[in-house]
Every structure is written in C-alpha cells, then in structure tokens.
Amino acid sequence: MRSLPQYLFALVLCLTIGLSAIAQAPTGDRFMQQGAQQYQTGQIEAAIGSWQEARTLYQQEKSPAGEAIALTNLGAAYLRLEQYRPAIAPLEALLPLARSLQDTKTEAQALGNLGIAYKALGNYGKSVQAHRQAGKLMRSRSDLQGLGQVLANLGNTFEALGDYDSAIVSYQQSLRLARQVGDRLGESSAQSNLGAVLASTEQYDLAIAALKNSLAISQAIGSKTEQAGALINLGSIYQGRGDRPQAIQSYEQSLTLARRLKSRELEAQALGSLALVYEDGKDFDRAIDLHRQSQAIAQTLSNPELQARSLNNLGHALLSAGKLPAAAAQLRAAVQLLDTLRPDLSDTYRVSIFDTQVHTYNLLQQILIADNQ
C-alpha cells in the first residue's frame, strides 16, 4: 500500500504586465509570461527554460519579488515532472528570498514542496523538518487548506518511516481540515492516504471504506491522479483477500489513468502491482515482464524507495521462478538502495524503517542459503 503526496503547486501563471513592457527588450516579466503560456499548453520543460531565464534577468534587474516568483514556479514545475533532485536548488534558494520579503505564504509553500522533494529522495529527516516548519507557518496565517495539505504530506513521510500511528493522526487531521474548508480534492487525498495506511495496519474494512469514499469523490471532481492512487490501494486489498479478478481490474484501470496522466511514478506502481497478482497466479513469465517494466520506469526517477521496492519485487518473482542468481542480483541492488535511507535518522526511526525493509534482507538470505552461500 502506498500513499500519494498532495503537491502544493504554487505556480504563478497570471502576471499583470503592460503590453509595452512585453514588447520591449528582454525583461524578467516577459520570460515569466512566456513560461506561463508554455506551461498552460503542456510544454513544461520549455516553461522551465523560460523561468530560468526570467530568474537571471530579475537578478540583473534587482527584483527580488520577481525572482521569488520564478523560483516558485521552477520548484513546482520540477515536482510536476517528478524530477525531485533538480527541484531542491530553486526551492532552497527561494527560502531566504521569501524571508527577506516577509512573504510567509511563499515561504510556507516552498517548505512544503521541499518536504515532498526530500521525502521522494529518501531524506526523511529533512522532509519531516520541512513539513513541520511549513505547518507552523500555515497555522500562523490561519491557512487551513494549506495546513491540511502539509499534514497529508507529513503523513506520507511518517508512513515511509514505518511510523503508522503518526501517519494515521496526520491523515485524520488533514481530512478534518479538508472537510472544514470544503476542499474536495484534499478530502479525497486524505481518504486515499488514510485507507492505504489503515490497510498496512490490517484494518481492512476501515481501509476499504476510506478508499471507496476517496474514489467516489475523485470521480465526482474529475481528479484522475486521486482515482489512480485509490484504485492501486483498493486492488492491493482485493488481492490480499484472494479476489484476483477484482484486483487485476483495479490495477489495469489505475495503469490506464497513470499513462493518460503521464505519471511515471503511478505507472511504475500500477505495473508492479499487476505483476504481483500474476505472480500469485503462478504466471511467473508475465509477472517478471511486468516487474521489469516497472523497474525500468523506477530507474528513471530519483526515488530510492520506489527503486528498491521494484527491485525487491522483481527479485521475489525471479526467486519464485527458480532463477536464483538473477534474483540475488536484484535483491543486492535493492539492499544497497535501502541502506541509503537510514542515515541521519533517530534510533527509533532506524528501527521502524528497517521493519518496513526487513523482507528484502530475508529474501536475499533465503536465496544465499538455497545457493549454499
């Protein structure tokens, strides 16, 4: 079961710029407007190039407010592309600028986006810290919708650390705030995340209810991202209960949505989930093929936890098919990635996160014993 972050996209796509200013020689405003038009037509990489140029010009024009807008958009655009490592630099550069402008809204959103990027990169300690700082600023601004989003993202990080009790509390608080302010997207996201972590703690009836609520809301408001996430998690519960046809249907629907959204992370999760169902049905060749597709996508992302999980699942399928050396190679690669996720954590979190990873180590040990190593 995997929860999905609710991004704090603080893109500024409408600028009040006079026609004479746009027509003049290159200014930061001109490139900001160009980037906005490119972003709205789906040319996100082109928009990034325009906003990078805008930032340079704003620096030359000594316009910190303009530079802050450019950095805000750059960080959010990189997150949209699931390019988490490049998102860090503009977001970290944005923080002191926002503070110098006394712009607490931009500072809070930058911290929230940084928390998402840190979590995806496996830097969980920094992620928790950034989300807590963002939440404190949201509270000081009485921004209940923003606070709900931050709590959802904080819950994602707690869940990755294996701290399910804290994750549940964060998701419940996020859900309460979303309902309070009438944020239907936030409500759907909180229900989906809550359902995922409840399933991880084997509270299946509550999990199914939450996920079905999330799916109904996301369908009503047309949020395909939330639909895809809820379907993956529902499929996992159906699979656990032995309802393979229903699980396959949920996963295939999620895969279709993920590809339509061009979300590589969701696509990798859906493919890996489908593979697990076929592995349960002893169709090892099909399972291995799907796991390889999932792993190939995961390799293109800078998310070590997702990469390690895809390697673990491929290793398990290879082991089930009796291909011990190939399975060991995948699991060794998974272990190397998992080892990068524990530095700088407290002792408590080192234990809790290892509890979420121990299956991979046990699988590798099982293979080595079987192969007399």
Side-chain angles (χ1 to χ4, degrees), residues 18-29:
L19 291 175
S20 60
I22 293 176
Q24 290 171 357
T27 65
D29 287 348

Side-chain angles (χ1 to χ4, degrees), residues 4-75:
L4 300 172
Q6 182 175 20
Y7 296 130
L8 297 176
F9 282 137
L11 286 160
V12 181
L13 296 179
C14 296
L15 299 174
T16 305
I17 307 172
L19 291 175
S20 60
I22 293 176
Q24 290 171 357
T27 65
D29 287 348
R30 183 177 181 182
F31 280 94
M32 279 300 303
Q33 188 76 7
Q34 178 176 294
Q37 292 168 350
Q38 290 165 331
Y39 186 90
Q40 288 172 323
T41 57
Q43 303 173 70
I44 301 177
E45 292 181 351
I48 287 173
S50 295
W51 289 330
Q52 287 171 336
E53 184 65 26
R55 183 202 178 186
T56 300
L57 290 167
Y58 282 134
Q59 288 176 321
Q60 293 172 1
E61 296 163 11
K62 301 190 186 309
S63 173
E67 185 183 357
I69 294 173
L71 289 168
T72 295
N73 286 7
L74 283 168

